[in-house]
Amino acid sequence: SDEAACQHVFLSAVIELQARAKQEGGNAVIGINSNYRNVLHSSTSAYTCGAGAFVAGVALTGEVVTLKR
């Protein structure tokens, strides 16, 4: 289903953000937004996903930071 495909690509996008934070020496990503077709969508509970017949896509942007532990 489109919903399952979107959930899968969303999780992949979050894992990519996590890897980017580690690569850049940070431990968190803040200000996360969906960026689908260069249209930013800011929400604390939703994201934008494009789903078609064969492909689903989610793009996330955010700022890598180091938070005190």
Side-chain angles (χ1 to χ4, degrees), residues 32-69:
I32 298 172
N33 294 300
S34 293
N35 184 13
Y36 182 68
R37 294 189 176 180
N38 293 320
V39 177
L40 289 177
H41 175 81
S42 179
S43 172
T44 59
S45 61
Y47 60 93
T48 304
C49 176
F54 300 104
V55 173
V58 171
L60 300 176
T61 62
E63 179 184 354
V64 173
V65 297
T66 301
L67 299 177
K68 294 181 182 179
R69 295 179 190 227

Side-chain angles (χ1 to χ4, degrees), residues 7-32:
Q7 288 175 351
H8 178 76
V9 294
F10 173 76
L11 181 58
S12 294
V14 170
I15 290 169
E16 285 182 33
L17 275 181
Q18 183 182 39
R20 185 179 132 214
K22 288 180 182 179
Q23 181 182 17
E24 293 181 13
N27 64 7
V29 180
I30 61 171
I32 298 172

